[in-house]
Amino acid sequence: MEFMTVKEAMKKGSGRVALRGWVWRERKSNAYAFIVLRDETDIIQCVIEKDKVSSKVWKDTNDLLIESSIELEGTIKEDKRAPTGYEVHVDKLNVIQFADRFPIVKDQSPEFLLDNRHLWLRSRKMVAVMKIRSTIIGAIHKFFRDRGYVEFTAPILQPMQSEGGSTLFEVKYFDENDITYLSQTWQLYAEAAVFALGKIYDVAPTFRAEKSKTSRHLAEFWMCEMEAPWIRLEELTEIAKEEIKFVIDEVLKNNKKELQILQRDVRILEKYVKEKYPTITYDEAMKILKTKFGMDVKWGKDLRTVEEEKITEHFGVPVVVTHYPSEAMAFYKPPEPKNPKVARCFDMLAPEGYVEIAGGSERSLDIEYMKKRLREMKEDPKKYEWYFDLRRYGSVPHAGYGVGLERVVAWICGLENIKDAIPFPRTMLRKSP
Ligand code: 4AD
Ligand code: MG
């Protein structure tokens, strides 16, 4: 008989089925062995009756520990008492591997689960998160491709910084004394490509040696970036809002079951699809913090998490904040001509404490301004000569932004820590398994 998945078997609902997978739970009495079988689609209760199987099969059930791999055949029927509403009465059982005693049992610490991530990936929680992550990546590709964007890939090894030297990962390059860096962003290379390809996007690994041990920072994460010629900040922020709504809508359409496993309230996600996201300036954000929350924030600094939390709490939906003080921003963000103290940039902040999920800006077209900013950061502008060439040969206004994939996964799934939004997290304190 041909194997089917647990999901297909439950859809069939009656008659003979052949299944294969892993033992998720097991319990035995004198006359029956109950095995909950797990595969990539679902779990299902399977019953083995002593009198209905060979003595060898009955003996095998003694050694069937959790995560043993098995094949079985039997008859499926509805049973309201079973964990997923169906039960298989097994008459054939073939053990592929008798598992050792599985190290993961109930109520283990997050650190233990992280040490055993290679095994914990099989948990219902991680499977649900990874499926939603897959939907989100697919949705981002679809969003941009449907709108005529070309997928463009940039090098991961890059000779200079773009988002500040303090979070650079150094890599020894062939020669003893030669070093290069892991990509902090695709952006500078994307800026070269917009003059060739027009609108572009990518989804790629990104590296930052973050010294912060927060629940929102990874050392290796995935960034989903876009860059386009001829567009301005006002249009850019609308694309970002549309993208985020599209992504949430795709998860709602494809992952109802996973959201349920994660106990995520879908009504709140539905609200994020339906409602309008406001755009405010940094100065307006400061005003809200002061009048609504009595928080006096010093002008000129990037907003801190507590402040971002208050802003999103105030609106209850994602908020775009534009025009941050130039002094706190990357070298390529251009000053606002009407008020050069602020830059033509934005962050998108997600509610429920998830805060910054995206950041972007127009790009400065002024070589001298960028050189000055780089020098202020003790960077050598000479390294950026190729980048400045882009301003010398047919320069046009262009802009782009990046979405932090794991930030979005954590938010949509309602996760407590970003480490659960990526299969094998890397942080300051963890680089294995
Ligand atoms: O705001 P960031 O630093 O922006 C850039 O890198 C721009 N070059 C993007 C662009 O304009 N093309 O990073 C973008 C997003 C952040 O909003 C955040 O969601 C995520 O990347 N991010 C991180 N996610 C997890 N761990 C980290 N250490 C992150 N650093 C940034
Ligand atoms: Mg940012």
Side-chain angles (χ1 to χ4, degrees), residues 225-244:
E225 298 186 76
M226 64 74 76
E227 192 78 27
W230 314 109
I231 66 168
R232 292 300 170 101
L233 184 63
E234 293 69 22
E235 198 184 333
L236 188 71
T237 53
E238 293 310 308
I239 299 168
K241 292 177 190 177
E242 214 191 316
E243 177 189 353
I244 295 301

Side-chain angles (χ1 to χ4, degrees), residues 160-178:
M160 76 284 203
Q161 64 97 355
S162 16
E163 303 296 328
S166 66
T167 64
L168 274 181
F169 269 113
E170 289 184 3
V171 179
K172 194 149 72 86
Y173 211 60
F174 301 93
D175 187 323
E176 262 310 297
N177 306 314
D178 197 6

Side-chain angles (χ1 to χ4, degrees), residues 163 184-185 187 208 210 216-218 221 223 225 332 356-360 363 400-404 407 418:
E163 303 296 328
Q184 291 176 309
T185 173
Q187 181 196 318
R208 302 225 180 142
E210 300 279 3
R216 302 183 305 112
H217 287 91
L218 292 166
F221 64 101
M223 213 198 301
E225 298 186 76
Y332 55 73
E356 187 190 337
I357 52 169
R363 313 310 188 189
Y401 65 86
V403 173
R407 297 258 178 106
I418 197 167

Side-chain angles (χ1 to χ4, degrees), residues 312-325:
T312 53
E313 184 187 313
H314 178 70
F315 289 103
V317 289
V319 184
V320 165
V321 181
T322 65
H323 294 90
Y324 284 79

Side-chain angles (χ1 to χ4, degrees), residues 123-141:
S123 64
R124 296 200 96 197
K125 176 183 176 179
M126 286 309 299
V127 168
V129 172
M130 288 188 292
K131 284 184 178 173
I132 291 174
R133 182 182 165 101
S134 167
T135 299
I136 293 173
I137 294 173
I140 289 168
H141 281 282

Side-chain angles (χ1 to χ4, degrees), residues 351-377:
E352 303 174 79
Y354 290 93
V355 297
E356 187 190 337
I357 52 169
S361 74
E362 289 182 11
R363 313 310 188 189
S364 173
L365 305 179
D366 181 343
I367 297 175
E368 288 316 311
Y369 174 78
M370 289 193 279
K371 280 187 175 168
K372 180 172 144 277
R373 292 301 318 281
L374 283 166
R375 272 189 231 105
E376 282 165 11
M377 297 175 195

Side-chain angles (χ1 to χ4, degrees), residues 280-304:
I280 60 172
T281 62
Y282 174 88
D283 283 350
E284 284 163 343
M286 300 287 273
K287 231 173 268 159
I288 293 168
L289 289 172
K290 181 145 185 146
T291 56
K292 183 103 198 279
F293 300 99
M295 294 167 86
D296 247 323
V297 184
K298 191 166 173 282
W299 198 95
K301 288 264 187 309
D302 204 351
L303 294 177
R304 291 175 308 165

